[in-house]
Amino acid sequence: MFFRRFSLVIYALLILIPLLIVVLTSMKTIQETFRNPLGLPEAGLQFENYTAIFQEQTMAGYFMNSTIVTLFSVSLTLFFASLIAYGIIRLNNWIGNFLFILFTLGMMVPAQVSMIPLYSLMLDLNLTNSLVGLILVNISTTMPIAVFILTGFMKTLPKELFEASTIDGAGNWKIYTKVAIPLSLPSLSATAIFLFVMHWNDLLYPLLFITDNAYKTLPLALLEFQGEYSTNYPMLFTGVIIASAPMVIAYIFLQRYFVAGMTAGAVKG
Amino acid sequence: MKISKSIYLFFLPGLLLYAIFFIYPTVSALFYSFTDWDGLSSSFQFVGIDNYERAFTGDTIFRKTIGNNLKFMLVVVVFQTFVALAFALVVLKNTKTTIFLRALYFFPTILSSVSVAFIWSFIYDPSLGILNQTLELVGLGSLAQNWLGNADIAIYSLAVTQIWFHAGQMLIIFVAGLQSIPDELYEVAKIEGATKWQTFRNVTWPLLAPSATIVIAYTTIQSFKAFDLVFAMTGGGPNNSTEIVATYIFDIAFRSYQFGYASAISVIFMIIIATITFLQFKALRSDRISY
């Protein structure tokens, strides 16, 4: 019993201490960090790094870019993938099966495979250094997992509902918006959170397609800080906190949904 | 029941994007893997299977890279699964404390890999880092290390970071699997006087097999595909000791502009991942247990 509790506390500390260090360090000066990396800030908590980061860097711009990319990527992926999932379960023939397999096969392809031709395609289409380009790529690469989860869920909905609506004279669009979508809200919200975390934190595609500061997203901007500030951990950690804040706040309030979404993504992926 | 043809329009936007930005580049990768394309010029030559031959016979770094990937994967799969299962068993029941602890253990999963990379680079920092400082503090200063700078241990330092990052997610999958085991089975075991170990061996473990398969398969793929942490923490160094396939592809493609060769490596990479995924699906199908 004692050993159980002890190990739980140790694991909790292993998570908490690094996070605590991040918060404390972000409120120190770089000199303080070198003198006493683990101590409390000597002159009390300071928020200078925060004001500095917002003044010097175009942090507000990065934040905005991440927000735009994530919101559009998530909502459009959900919209298109739910249309496809609905189509697959209604068709219920070889075309539906073929499309289902075509999309789910995409889950097996690591991003590194399509990355090289995708890069030259983006150059040709003039979609590098563009948020629209990033959004289009995000939608395409998460389509497989979204289609997979949503089709799996919609298959469990009673067929009779759709058939009854058809008899009542509802067209496909009407059944999709009035029946399929409302009933699929649990799996839609789980998928939304999974996609949200994934796109907000994504590094690879911004790294490939964005070089202009005006279009950088937060993870990429953080990586650039690392080059610029190399061992200025107070500044780096201030960036980490600003970049993570929306996720952390959302997690505190919507914890259950986060867990559902991230594990649905893991299990089905 | 006859369904209106308008249903085909539903596939249009998703399929169009998927075809342009996913299927086309993936198929092209296969095509370019047989060329010497540099990614910049408009002309290239077909070189047959030269790229594949080079990967398997001439490229010592690639071989090292595969070895690093396997080391990283093995350490992460074994320890992450063990940690996740051990702690899932302890925080299984729903009390206020366990619900809080589960949420806390899961927390790192929501952070960006770049953030996690910074946090752990600081922990591992040879002079400022909490790890060396703590070792000094408890009198084990001789163990202090340049955790990311020492070619013999850097890959394991990265594995620890990966486990910190994702163990909580796997723990939650185990908890879900464990909670789906009907209580009656435990009651029966109790009535029949089974010891704790017997109960685990004969009730929990067999019924947990599906979640264990999911966790192990997912961890395998996730650790095989790892890119961000390595890219941000060591960049593959020191001396290629942490170079893994995903970062190696990035290097040969975007640092030395050998797109053709990088494509060949990425096709090999895809075949490995697809094989693992296929085995995962197969194992999942055969492991379905009904009760």
Side-chain angles (χ1 to χ4, degrees):
Chain A
M1 207 56 212
F2 167 77
F3 184 71
R4 266 184 183 202
R5 293 229 171 114
F6 181 72
S7 59
L8 287 179
V9 172
I10 295 287
Y11 192 3
L13 289 177
L14 282 176
I15 304 286
L16 276 171
I17 289 174
L19 301 176
L20 202 65
I21 291 175
V22 170
V23 176
L24 284 178
T25 308
S26 78
M27 295 175 181
K28 285 177 174 179
T29 62
I30 184 159
Q31 290 80 7
E32 270 180 280
T33 312
F34 275 108
R35 267 200 308 275
N36 185 6
L38 300 183
L40 290 167
E42 285 156 23
L45 302 180
Q46 304 151 53
F47 294 91
E48 273 141 43
N49 294 321
Y50 289 83
T51 45
I53 214 165
F54 268 105
Q55 274 161 5
E56 279 177 40
Q57 306 293 335
T58 39
M59 199 68 182
Y62 302 140
F63 205 91
M64 200 62 196
N65 292 340
S66 270
T67 310
I68 292 171
V69 169
T70 307
L71 287 183
F72 277 96
S73 302
V74 173
S75 47
L76 289 172
T77 307
L78 279 184
F79 178 45
F80 297 159
S82 61
L83 282 173
I84 291 168
Y86 173 77
I88 288 173
I89 61 144
R90 288 314 305 281
L91 265 185
N92 201 20
N93 60 10
W94 71 270
I95 301 175
N97 290 339
F98 171 77
L99 287 172
F100 181 70
I101 292 170
L102 184 71
F103 279 107
T104 45
L105 273 179
M107 295 194 300
M108 291 197 193
V109 182
Q112 277 77 14
V113 175
S114 56
M115 150 182 113
I116 297 161
L118 184 58
Y119 174 74
S120 67
L121 177 73
M122 297 289 278
L123 282 178
D124 291 345
L125 296 177
N126 231 336
L127 283 174
T128 53
N129 282 322
S130 131
L131 297 184
V132 174
L134 217 46
I135 292 165
L136 291 174
V137 171
N138 279 348
I139 297 171
S140 323
T141 50
T142 46
M143 197 60 80
I145 180 105
V147 166
F148 189 82
I149 298 177
L150 295 175
T151 310
F153 184 85
M154 285 194 198
K155 262 191 190 143
T156 66
L157 299 174
K159 272 202 172 59
E160 294 76 27
L161 272 175
F162 299 125
E163 282 162 10
S165 317
T166 314
I167 291 166
D168 287 345
N172 279 322
W173 177 251
K174 197 153 194 193
I175 303 176
Y176 165 80
T177 49
K178 300 277 173 189
V179 182
I181 289 300
L183 289 174
S184 305
L185 282 180
S187 79
L188 283 169
S189 57
T191 315
I193 289 196
F194 172 70
L195 296 175
F196 192 67
V197 175
M198 193 167 158
H199 291 317
W200 184 266
N201 292 335
D202 182 42
L203 173 68
L204 183 64
Y205 292 123
L207 187 67
L208 287 175
F209 305 132
I210 308 289
T211 48
D212 187 336
N213 272 335
Y215 303 104
K216 276 179 186 158
T217 57
L218 286 164
L220 183 60
L222 279 183
L223 202 66
E224 307 273 303
F225 280 12
Q226 194 189 23
E228 202 174 324
Y229 292 101
S230 62
T231 55
N232 188 343
Y233 285 108
M235 206 62 159
L236 290 177
F237 286 163
T238 307
V240 165
I241 289 179
I242 293 171
S244 319
M247 276 302 148
V248 175
I249 293 167
Y251 182 64
I252 290 171
F253 290 104
L254 301 169
Q255 219 184 81
R256 211 150 36 94
Y257 301 97
F258 265 76
V259 170
M262 297 290 289
T263 46
V267 173
K268 310 269 162 61
Chain B
M1 186 167 295
K2 203 100 186 103
I3 182 159
S4 134
K5 290 269 176 283
S6 70
I7 194 79
Y8 290 102
L9 291 175
F10 280 49
F11 296 111
L12 211 60
L15 194 57
L16 204 66
L17 287 180
Y18 185 61
I20 299 173
F21 295 101
F22 195 89
I23 298 176
Y24 166 73
T26 306
V27 175
S28 310
L30 195 64
F31 172 80
Y32 288 127
S33 74
F34 297 105
T35 71
D36 64 355
W37 189 40
D38 63 5
L40 304 169
S41 52
S42 52
S43 67
F44 51 81
Q45 301 247 305
F46 280 96
V47 294
I49 58 161
D50 279 13
N51 288 327
Y52 291 92
E53 219 175 331
R54 178 176 159 201
F56 285 115
T57 56
D59 188 346
T60 47
I61 300 179
F62 179 58
R63 221 170 305 158
K64 196 170 177 184
T65 302
I66 294 270
N68 291 335
N69 244 11
L70 291 175
K71 266 189 229 167
F72 181 78
M73 188 181 84
L74 210 68
V75 172
V76 173
V77 170
V78 170
F79 287 95
Q80 182 161 290
T81 309
F82 176 76
V83 168
L85 179 57
F87 282 93
L89 286 165
V90 187
V91 293
L92 181 57
K93 300 235 166 62
N94 288 326
T95 69
K96 262 192 183 143
T97 322
T98 55
I99 290 170
F100 170 77
L101 285 174
R102 289 203 296 252
L104 181 66
Y105 297 158
F106 188 83
F107 180 82
T109 312
I110 68 159
L111 296 173
S112 75
S113 42
V114 180
S115 302
V116 173
F118 286 178
I119 296 170
W120 279 84
S121 296
F122 186 59
I123 291 173
Y124 289 140
D125 191 298
S127 53
L128 303 175
I130 172 177
L131 191 52
N132 281 352
Q133 300 247 337
T134 315
L135 287 172
E136 302 273 354
L137 210 70
V138 297
L140 294 170
S142 57
L143 293 177
Q145 277 284 348
N146 186 353
W147 299 97
L148 294 173
N150 180 336
D152 292 327
I153 56 170
I155 190 86
Y156 303 105
S157 307
L158 290 171
V160 169
T161 307
Q162 173 84 359
I163 295 169
W164 184 85
F165 197 1
H166 290 295
Q169 195 180 7
M170 302 308 143
L171 184 152
I172 296 289
I173 297 174
F174 273 130
V175 167
L178 288 165
Q179 287 184 342
S180 70
I181 299 173
D183 281 339
E184 297 90 60
L185 291 177
Y186 289 110
E187 278 158 29
V188 172
K190 210 173 180 182
I191 292 165
E192 301 208 342
T195 62
K196 261 192 174 159
W197 171 247
Q198 282 171 328
T199 312
F200 178 79
R201 183 75 197 74
N202 298 314
V203 179
T204 314
W205 182 246
L207 290 175
L208 195 62
S211 357
T213 317
I214 291 168
V215 167
I216 293 171
Y218 189 66
T219 306
T220 309
I221 293 169
Q222 197 180 45
S223 53
F224 210 87
K225 286 205 282 196
F227 171 82
D228 295 14
L229 281 186
V230 179
F231 189 83
M233 287 174 79
T234 62
N239 193 20
N240 291 326
S241 65
T242 60
E243 191 83 84
I244 53 170
V245 181
T247 54
Y248 187 53
I249 295 171
F250 191 90
D251 281 352
I252 35 184
F254 297 103
R255 298 225 168 98
S256 53
Y257 293 101
Q258 305 175 57
F259 274 48
Y261 183 51
S263 297
I265 302 241
S266 73
V267 170
I268 298 170
F269 189 50
M270 175 169 68
I271 292 169
I272 298 174
I273 301 264
T275 312
I276 302 173
T277 316
F278 177 73
L279 293 176
Q280 164 192 11
F281 277 120
K282 253 191 99 136
L284 276 177
R285 289 241 170 85
S286 60
D287 267 0
R288 286 263 178 264
I289 286 185
S290 48
Y291 41 81

